[in-house]
Amino acid sequence: MTSLIGTPLGERAWREHREQARLLRRSYLRFCAGAGLASRVRHHHFGRLVKLNYLVNVKSGLCPEDCSYCSQRLGSRAGIVKYTWLDPDRTRELASHGVAAGAARVCLVASGRGPTDRDVDRLAPTVEGIKRDHPDVEVCACLGLLSEGQADRLREAGVDAYNHNLNTSEERYSDICSTHDFADRVATVRSATHAGLSPCSGLIVGMGESDEDLIDALFALRELEPDSVPVNFLMPFEGTPLEGTWELTPPRCLRILAATRFVFPDVEVRLAGGREMHLRSSQPLGLHIADSIFLGDYLTSEGQAGRDDLAMIADAGLQVRGAGEKAASHTGHAPPRARRRGAGTDLPPNV
């Protein structure tokens, strides 16, 4: 017997895996009970706290890889902003906005198959500057596939964590990318872990995967023992192979979050890209399963305004980690506005 990522498993461990998968499928299909239980698990381990993360896209577009979900992919016609590496001062400035809003982690992301050694070197003064300005902030790098020794050099430069998502199951991986494979991604996560970087690895859902694919991907992730698991919801950019793919509904998104929480009961689960367009008004429910979100915008797409994220957290009865009771100050009360449309006016009604 072999595991989902090729590591030998004993017969007993394999039976345990299959039993857990069977129980997870049962809970996954029972949405109401599953979401409620997942919320109880989340609050048991994390209480009312929500961790804020902030993305800085330090190099955007023109990637040579052909990941079908990505607006930066080879041949993408998506109308995104494209630029080469930001200089350290500009990156520090952008990072400071997220930290000022309450972000505990700054994620520095660069498009491409993976960094050159020169790229790793150019990131060092950026990390040093962020750490100097904000000694308590975590810095996570996401630079693609790592070559030998690069994870160690990132750790020496002051990087705390490394993100590299598995995205989907091993069986389906070739359906979404042909320029690298599932094993390459597994190797990079393991390399980061061995170097002492906190491993961050998660999913992109809504790409045509079945429930079984999702569960296989979650158990493959669990074998890597990540410290944080971002759950991204496909943003089907025009000009990419998955444009027009709208498979997700708010209940399905919540089921996926619940399944992730069951597999990772005491691990940071992050409500990540695409949450606004797929969860919509159910985002606060998602926060009662996940314990972490990205604040504001993403890599190539705009997100919900940061102040609205903070208000949503407070309105859900939750609290930004490290913010104390200050989080409540982000929720103002807008006075009622007199109606100026509809009956008695020349303007159409608000329907």
Side-chain angles (χ1 to χ4, degrees):
M1 293 290 181
T2 59
S3 74
L4 293 173
I5 56 176
T7 304
L9 283 173
E11 185 66 30
R12 179 177 178 183
W14 181 257
R15 287 199 303 270
E16 178 186 358
H17 166 82
R18 301 311 300 173
E19 175 64 12
Q20 289 171 331
R22 184 183 67 80
L23 293 174
L24 184 58
R25 286 188 181 92
R26 181 184 300 171
S27 295
Y28 181 82
L29 295 173
R30 295 179 179 176
F31 162 60
C32 292
L37 178 57
S39 177
R40 290 173 59 190
V41 172
R42 177 254 194 267
H43 284 276
H44 173 76
H45 289 286
F46 299 97
R48 296 170 50 236
L49 298 180
V50 177
K51 180 178 178 180
L52 298 184
N53 307 266
Y54 186 69
L55 279 172
V56 179
N57 193 359
V58 298
K59 178 174 175 283
S60 180
L62 305 176
C63 180
E65 303 299 285
D66 68 355
C67 307
S68 58
Y69 53 81
C70 186
S71 60
Q72 305 181 82
R73 73 187 297 272
L74 178 69
S76 170
R77 294 177 285 102
I80 62 171
V81 179
K82 301 173 184 176
Y83 49 88
T84 189
W85 289 84
L86 298 178
D87 65 61
D89 288 340
R90 178 57 174 157
T91 304
R92 285 171 50 210
E93 176 191 357
L94 293 168
S96 68
H97 291 294
V99 177
R105 172 175 287 191
V106 171
C107 304
L108 306 178
V109 188
S111 64
R113 178 180 176 85
T116 64
D117 289 341
R118 182 185 175 192
D119 293 333
V120 173
D121 291 340
R122 85 167 77 225
L123 202 63
T126 301
V127 176
E128 180 183 358
I130 293 173
K131 292 281 193 174
R132 183 174 60 249
D133 295 343
H134 311 286
D136 296 328
V137 76
E138 300 170 357
V139 175
C140 178
C142 178
L143 312 176
L145 301 171
L146 294 176
S147 301
E148 185 176 354
Q150 289 184 329
D152 296 288
R153 292 171 62 189
L154 288 169
R155 186 74 184 96
E156 293 167 2
V159 173
D160 300 292
Y162 198 82
N163 166 260
H164 199 62
N165 296 325
L166 296 189
N167 292 330
T168 192
S169 67
E170 183 174 13
E171 184 176 352
R172 281 207 71 243
Y173 200 82
S174 61
D175 295 337
I176 64 168
C177 182
S178 68
T179 48
H180 62 267
D181 59 27
F182 190 84
D184 292 325
R185 288 189 168 264
V186 169
T188 285
V189 178
R190 285 182 168 158
S191 175
T193 303
H194 292 159
L197 296 170
S198 175
C200 172
S201 189
L203 305 168
I204 301 176
V205 298
M207 300 189 292
E209 68 279 346
S210 66
D211 291 351
E212 287 72 19
D213 289 322
L214 172 68
I215 292 165
D216 285 349
L218 286 172
F219 278 104
L221 280 169
R222 194 177 73 166
E223 290 188 39
L224 295 177
E225 300 182 328
D227 293 330
S228 53
V229 181
V231 179
N232 296 277
F233 307 93
L234 176 69
M235 291 184 275
F237 272 90
E238 293 183 6
T240 65
L242 292 178
E243 67 174 292
T245 303
W246 296 97
E247 297 186 346
L248 298 172
T249 62
R252 177 165 172 77
C253 292
L254 291 171
R255 286 196 295 270
I256 290 169
L257 287 171
T260 306
R261 176 56 73 196
F262 293 148
V263 176
F264 298 99
D266 58 352
V267 171
E268 177 187 343
V269 174
R270 187 174 309 138
L271 196 54
R275 58 181 167 89
E276 299 91 345
M277 64 177 62
H278 293 293
L279 277 163
R280 300 191 289 277
S281 61
S282 294
Q283 283 188 81
L285 295 178
L287 281 175
H288 283 281
I289 300 174
D291 61 288
S292 173
I293 65 168
F294 280 115
L295 180 71
D297 295 335
Y298 304 106
L299 294 178
T300 60
S301 64
E302 294 184 353
Q304 187 168 276
R307 63 180 177 274
D308 293 335
D309 287 336
L310 296 171
M312 177 179 69
I313 290 168
D315 288 348
L318 302 171
Q319 182 177 310
V320 173
R321 195 179 85 178
E325 295 304 319
K326 292 187 297 183
S329 66
H330 293 288
T331 57
H333 294 283
R337 293 183 297 177
R339 178 172 62 80
R340 303 295 182 192
R341 56 195 173 198
T345 77
D346 295 329
L347 298 175
N350 180 30
V351 292

